[in-house]
Amino acid sequence: MLSIFEPLAIIGRVVMAALAELGRLSKFTAEAVKNIFLPPFYWRLILKQMLHIGYYSLPVVGLTALFTGAALAQQIFVGGSRFNAESVVPGVVVIAIVRELGPVLGGLMVAGRVSSAMAAELGTMRVTEQIDALTTLSTDPFKYLVVPRLIASVFTLPLLVLVANVIGVLGGYLIGTERLGLNAGAYLKVTVDFLEQADVISSLVKAAVFGFFIALMGSYYGYHSSGGAQGVGKATTNAVVGAFITILLANLIITIVVFGT
Amino acid sequence: MKNDTIPMIQLENVTKHFGSKHVLNGVNLSVARGESLVIIGGSGTGKSVTLKCILGLLKADSGTINVDGRDVTLMGKSERKKILSKFGMLFQGAALFDSMKVWENVAFGLIQGQGMDRVSAREIATEKLRRVGLSPDVGDLSPSELSGGMQKRVGLARAIAAEPEIIFFDEPTTGLDPIMADVINDLIVECVTDLGATTLSITHDMASARKIADRIAMIHKGEIIWEGSKAEVDKSDNPYVEQFIHGRADGPIQMEILKP
Ligand SMILES: Nc1ncnc2c1ncn2[C@@H]1O[C@H](COP(=O)(O)OP(=O)(O)OP(=O)(O)O)[C@@H](O)[C@H]1O
Ligand SMILES: [Mg+2]
């Protein structure tokens, strides 16, 4: 028997569930941030995570940047040639890469790799009671598992994005000089002239913020997963989706704040 | 501060539910200092949940849980952490850290909890592994390379490594052959007699219960329905206890599957 209130009830339940989730996430975030500043610090684990997040992400992030920079140069050249403005290619490429595409695409690629891996690892630890076991061995699972991932991610992402920016510009340079016949020396000079300090700083700040969300989403969904293999699978998916959405939203907000005026 | 008249662990009216499912319906239980209590009871009656509530891994809905005379349900995080350092726990599923080697698992509490250096911690870990019948070269394997029974024994070694005052064993002999089970029973008895530990064990294995228990308590549907010394368990005319220790399918305990 469907009553006319049934749709309202469904909407109510969905909203309540979403609010509850948001509440849990906020609590988790507050707890995580607080613990970042409290000893003990597990340096070895932080370094291990940095290696996992940074070093092993280099190929995928580098290739993404290279192809994107190259495609961008090609597009801008074609678009610009309608107004005889092929010379804007280096400037637009460097701005687009450093301000937006380097951090965003880099962040998304790392989120795909890392958030999912974190959620799967912590999720498995949760459902096999390894997280409970940590607690009984006088070790705070928050400090031991979540905090090292957060710290490592926040510090590694800027380094990765720096590399992505350089490789992205290189991709544009290669297409510009090898295929589109732009002058190599002029290309580099325009690139350097166009780039401002604020661009680089905002790029790195974005990267650090994205790094935070990548580790936060991976840890949160992993830490709170339940219900065996299926639950871990769901946690993994949710972590990636959550990381993507928070990265894109944070990017919009930072862009508006920094460049909006 | 040590007072022998205060029970080491005391539960009063502890309740716990998951959703609409009421798992613990007012558990009352008390374990004296240096005593070995064994909880028996059917599958899914709330034995593991009881242990987890005492450890604070699950939050009891109501009731009091006193450890060494102090109510742990009212404690803050740091106080609770201090209390937890008195405990060792063998999980039903062993719960070994699969990212670490076997010896690192056993030494974990010593290295992370007590800040012992790795070399001495490894020595102790190797000794504890020997006590549970595992050779030193097993220490270099990863947990996923072990059989279920071996994992259980590593979990046991990990639980006793730091020589805690209170040790919980969740089905210590499940999955072991009868001879190894008896070795483990002896080890648990040793923990009580040599270390003076207070132990709370869960088992379905009556041979094991008779060997390690001072007292036995039976849990059914989230309540302790019988309690007595191990000598009394065979003489008990409680129909639940009788059915359980003789392993009969018919009696007052109806398994879900038998219900019409
Ligand atoms: N985290 C949880 N979420 C929901 N239900 C749970 C959870 N943990 C336990 N339960 C439920 O509580 C009941 C008691 O579980 P418990 O693990 O204590 O059983 P047990 O007595 O240890 O059984 P066994 O002898 O099979 O180990 C079970 O019916 C189980 O479904
Ligand atoms: Mg159990």
Side-chain angles (χ1 to χ4, degrees):
Chain A
M1 261 280 286
L2 274 179
S3 97
I4 51 160
F5 294 115
E6 194 62 20
L8 281 178
I10 292 173
I11 293 172
R13 270 199 297 277
V14 170
V15 171
M16 290 301 284
L19 284 179
E21 181 83 11
L22 200 64
R24 266 200 304 276
L25 179 60
S26 313
K27 223 176 115 196
F28 186 89
T29 310
E31 183 77 15
V33 171
K34 191 183 88 189
N35 274 298
I36 287 178
F37 301 102
L38 297 175
F41 304 106
Y42 296 99
W43 300 111
R44 257 168 54 117
L45 295 179
I46 296 175
L47 286 178
K48 197 172 130 191
Q49 287 299 328
M50 288 183 92
L51 191 72
H52 270 292
I53 298 167
Y55 186 69
Y56 296 118
S57 296
L58 275 176
V60 57
V61 169
L63 285 176
T64 308
L66 186 71
F67 296 150
T68 307
L72 197 59
Q74 177 70 49
Q75 283 288 10
I76 293 162
F77 182 82
V78 174
S81 63
R82 290 188 218 155
F83 318 101
N84 286 329
E86 295 94 338
S87 59
V88 300
V89 170
V92 178
V93 167
V94 72
I95 293 294
I97 289 284
V98 172
R99 285 189 181 182
E100 292 290 327
L101 295 174
V104 171
L105 290 181
L108 293 181
M109 295 313 275
V110 178
R113 256 197 87 239
V114 172
S115 296
S116 53
M118 284 182 182
E121 188 178 0
L122 296 193
T124 305
M125 290 187 77
R126 167 60 75 197
V127 300
T128 57
E129 300 184 321
Q130 292 178 50
I131 293 186
D132 288 340
L134 272 179
T135 309
T136 65
L137 292 164
S138 303
T139 303
D140 187 340
F142 237 92
K143 290 202 175 79
Y144 190 80
L145 296 174
V146 178
V147 169
R149 283 170 170 76
L150 275 176
I151 295 179
S153 192
V154 167
F155 284 102
T156 309
L157 256 281
L159 296 177
L160 271 176
V161 165
L162 209 58
V163 174
N165 289 343
V166 173
I167 294 180
V169 170
L170 178 73
Y173 171 84
L174 288 178
I175 286 284
T177 53
E178 297 299 317
R179 202 182 127 77
L180 307 174
L182 300 177
N183 178 282
Y187 193 106
L188 288 181
K189 185 174 180 311
V190 176
T191 298
V192 174
D193 285 348
F194 251 79
L195 193 64
E196 284 173 18
Q197 206 179 9
D199 297 329
V200 178
I201 291 174
S202 78
S203 183
L204 299 184
V205 168
K206 279 184 178 181
V209 172
F210 298 168
F212 180 79
F213 285 121
I214 286 168
L216 183 75
M217 290 297 158
S219 308
Y220 171 74
Y221 284 106
Y223 200 83
H224 287 293
S225 69
S226 61
Q230 204 182 10
V232 175
K234 215 172 88 190
T236 310
T237 312
N238 286 342
V240 175
V241 173
F244 274 27
I245 291 175
T246 45
I247 285 175
L248 293 172
L249 181 64
N251 180 61
L252 176 62
I253 293 172
I254 298 174
T255 299
I256 289 175
V257 169
V258 177
F259 301 106
T261 49
Chain B
M1 273 277 295
K2 299 241 159 173
N3 189 338
D4 286 345
T5 59
I6 299 179
M8 196 63 160
I9 297 168
Q10 186 165 36
L11 277 68
E12 273 169 21
N13 277 322
V14 174
T15 63
K16 174 77 192 168
H17 74 279
F18 297 103
S20 61
K21 183 166 191 168
H22 291 265
V23 178
L24 302 183
N25 302 307
V27 171
N28 292 293
L29 198 66
S30 145
V31 193
R33 192 177 295 279
E35 183 184 45
S36 170
L37 178 74
V38 169
I39 301 180
I40 58 174
S43 192
T45 48
K47 302 183 297 296
S48 299
V49 169
T50 305
L51 293 194
K52 286 183 191 164
C53 284
I54 301 173
L55 290 166
L57 300 173
L58 291 172
K59 203 170 169 307
D61 299 331
S62 67
T64 56
I65 300 172
N66 288 324
V67 174
D68 215 356
R70 298 177 54 216
D71 191 347
V72 291
T73 58
L74 305 175
M75 280 182 185
K77 210 174 158 185
S78 61
E79 256 188 310
R80 184 178 274 279
K81 196 182 161 190
K82 236 181 268 164
I83 284 277
L84 271 176
S85 65
K86 293 179 190 240
F87 284 91
M89 165 87 181
L90 165 64
F91 286 84
Q92 189 167 358
L96 301 179
F97 305 127
D98 43 29
S99 61
M100 293 173 210
K101 289 179 182 162
V102 164
W103 80 263
E104 289 173 315
N105 265 279
V106 178
F108 191 90
L110 301 168
I111 296 173
Q112 302 296 347
Q114 302 182 358
M116 186 183 283
D117 66 281
R118 287 172 72 83
V119 179
S120 338
R122 179 160 194 167
E123 266 171 39
I124 295 177
T126 308
E127 162 63 16
K128 298 292 174 192
L129 283 173
R130 195 189 59 70
R131 295 276 295 272
V132 296
L134 295 170
S135 65
D137 40 307
V138 173
D140 279 318
L141 299 177
S142 95
S144 59
E145 295 172 279
L146 305 181
S147 74
M150 287 163 93
Q151 291 182 1
K152 197 88 192 209
R153 284 185 275 159
V154 174
L156 191 82
R158 185 175 71 180
I160 62 173
E163 308 199 338
E165 282 177 57
I166 308 168
I167 319 177
F168 290 173
F169 300 103
D170 197 344
E171 305 197 5
T173 56
T174 306
L176 303 182
D177 64 83
I179 301 168
M180 188 46 73
D182 205 48
V183 171
I184 296 304
N185 289 336
D186 285 335
L187 181 67
I188 293 174
V189 173
E190 258 175 66
C191 283
V192 178
T193 50
D194 297 358
L195 305 176
T198 307
T199 64
L200 182 50
S201 318
I202 292 173
T203 189
H204 297 145
D205 169 2
M206 284 313 294
S208 169
R210 287 193 183 90
K211 185 143 190 181
I212 63 183
D214 295 324
R215 269 187 325 121
I216 296 179
M218 171 141 182
I219 188 168
H220 183 62
K221 293 198 171 149
E223 273 179 84
I224 303 289
I225 53 157
W226 185 87
E227 222 186 311
S229 72
K230 74 172 150 187
E232 285 163 356
V233 77
D234 293 305
K235 288 180 249 150
S236 164
D237 50 8
N238 183 313
Y240 291 89
V241 177
E242 260 209 303
Q243 186 194 351
F244 190 87
I245 64 174
H246 295 113
R248 294 196 204 98
D250 47 302
I253 307 174
Q254 290 291 307
M255 293 286 153
E256 307 283 81
I257 195 171
L258 295 177
K259 279 185 189 156

